[in-house]
Amino acid sequence: MQKLSPAGKDKILETVTGYVEHIVFRNEENGYTVFHLENDDGEVTCVGNLNFISEGEMLELTGEYVNHSVYGTQLKVSSYTVKEPEDLISIERYLGSGAIKGVGEALAGRIVKKFKKDTFRIIEEEPERLAEIKGISERKAREIAVQVEEKKDMRKAMIYLQKYGISTKLAAKIYQYYGMRVYKVLEENPYQLADNIEGVGFKTADEIAARIGIHTDSDYRIRSGLFYTLQQAVGEGHIYLPQPVLMQRAGALLGVEIHDIEKHIMDLCIDKKTVMKEEDGEIRVYPAHYYYLELNTAKMLHDLNINCDMPEDLMERRLSKVEKNEQIELDQMQHRAVIESIKHGLLILTGGPGTGKTTTINTMIRFFDSEGMSILLAAPTGRAAKRMTEATGYEAQTIHRLLEVNVNPEEGENAGGFLRNRQNPLEADVVIIDEMSMVDLPLMHALLSAVVPGTRLILVGDVDQLPSVGPGSVLRDIIASEKFPVVTLTRIFRQAGESDIVVNAHKINAGEPVVLDNKSRDFFFLKRQDADTIIGITIMLIQKKLPKYVHASPNEIQVMTPTRKGLLGVERLNTILQRYLNPESPKKNEKEINGRLFREGDKVMQIKNNYQLEWEITTKFGLTVDKGTGIFNGDMGVITEINDYTETIEVEFDEARKVKYGYDMTEELELAYAITVHKSQGSEYPAVIIPLLQGPRLLYTRNLLYTAVTRAKKCLTIVGSDAVFQEMIQNKNEQERYTSLAQRIREYKDPF
């Protein structure tokens, strides 16, 4: 019996036996299946995680009957057993059901007629005898036997894996990866699973190892635990861990005292998995890949920093000419920034909202353009690139698109994920990158690999925003190294100074209290203490108040929250907001997939980089005018069609790019009526609503609040606790990241 999920005590469980008549839908990854079962009482629609079942098979199912609003009565399967067909009719039916390719009803009838109850034994033990039947060649006999055998192997392996507490979903993944090697892998070194199978963490591998009887202090377990701890740290944004921190974290994970940690780390170093370095009186342990990324990034930054030999008075004259022609007025710092960008091969321009970064970039573009130089503009996300295009009048693109992504650069150490690299660099005199605070170390390394010395690289960003989601703190470290020209803009320009969003953002950043008297035109604080009241006000604002106020559709108004879980977390908010902002309607198709409901008209977000996903732009008559690949983490769109026949969901993203997702790919999508502040980086919205009640201090920080506030263009409304708001301004507890790019830059010596 294959158990799927614990059934609740109050549920009435039924047992049903019958044949799989038709499989309606199957998710290959997790085994989620919808199928029709034929039994004595007619046809039953069944749903559940059932791996490797085929049409025609006889199953004994246990589950409860549930009523689906669209599909009517269904049996929600909690456990199942594959039954051998018992009588001749059953055997014939199974063979002729399409479960075995090349055997139809007529042929199945002839096989059973000849071998009767011995049919399965003959197929398994003496398959050559099938050739005695008219219409079956020896080759076909072997093919039939192989298919029966394959299924058998698969089923045996699945049962074996489930013995160690592995769910059917994971067992399917493991079998797909290892095949029949699975037994050897598990008995020798189950920790391999954590390296090779997505979804198997160290903890799962560890549970299996414990059941198999591998000792808790085995060297293999400790090494695996140490490396896993480092990988977890990368997921938190760190590039290395100090040895004591690594020891403490890994010890807590493994539940054993780690003696002789240096030996284990040295073993990992010998396997080229880690690098150990003594710096500032501490031993640092790096995953090897990230150590070399930092090292190479430092070298490439250094190589770009070439001085220009144009005399300064000539620069000044040419710049004043551009300012005059374009009618641009620069203040002292903006002027300095432009001069520095002409003088040096590398420049960092940083500053908060309203400090004139866009004007400065525009002037640089006009200057380089007047010199006949070619310019490329890019930003980390599609939305940020779009904003850059609107602000400069020059086409900007995502960094991924600029570098011409072709395979997933995140898989393993696939640095060759981009077509633009050392061998095929970008053809430009000037490259300007905006929203640099979002760029992590691997992306920075890929970018620098495609920029040849002699090209000017200008990095623009706001260092006080949240750090990148990925590992490293690139912008901060480059500035901290003090090896490259940095210009910081601090003056708030008059126009921006009239906006309380900008003024208050700077106050938050400086740790100054913000007056919440609602006398503002664009910064509002509605004091409420109850989560459901806050949600009610949020819905009212989106539906009634804000669209007219900011001249935008409800879909353009963004709810932002610090957390995923909890009463005001993304997950709960999205479920409620979907109900009110895009209610059920006979005119809208909807589909529940793995417990999540999608409906036509829903606002959704892509939550992981997918480099292979195809998009196209079509005319209203369906003619394709452009197509390409790649939809990235944070891209937002609207569901335009749910098609049960083709089992696809169509989403339209920015710039009218349409993408078709198979039902099995929808785990890459989530509702986006509400998003986390982290996901909002690089985007701006006409209006932003932030529901705010007490939450984890580690998360509720000044730079999170500052990032959230600066996402609003015309109107920001915070609904919730003013005490929490003021606490966040005072909470400077940024999660310090262990990175050493600044050091690598400072250490770098010219080899000549």
Side-chain angles (χ1 to χ4, degrees), residues 662-676:
Y663 285 173
D664 56 337
M665 285 174 64
T666 51
E667 69 269 12
E668 294 188 10
L669 286 176
E670 62 180 37
L671 293 176
Y673 297 101
I675 61 173
T676 61

Side-chain angles (χ1 to χ4, degrees), residues 47 55 157 161 192 370 382 452 550 588 596 732:
V47 294
E55 290 177 355
L161 287 165
Q192 285 180 50
S370 70
V452 288
V550 296
K588 295 177 195 164
R596 298 187 309 156
K732 267 196 83 159

Side-chain angles (χ1 to χ4, degrees), residues 13-38:
L13 293 181
E14 309 262 353
T15 301
V16 178
T17 303
Y19 295 93
V20 179
E21 185 69 30
H22 172 57
I23 293 176
V24 179
F25 167 73
R26 153 134 350 93
N27 180 334
E28 293 299 341
E29 281 219 347
N30 60 16
Y32 181 81
T33 310
V34 179
F35 60 99
H36 298 313
L37 190 88
E38 178 126 346

Side-chain angles (χ1 to χ4, degrees), residues 228-247:
Y228 173 74
T229 305
L230 282 176
Q231 284 173 313
Q232 291 295 101
V234 166
E236 293 165 27
H238 305 297
I239 300 295
Y240 70 87
L241 283 180
Q243 191 174 288
V245 175
L246 173 60
M247 197 164 165

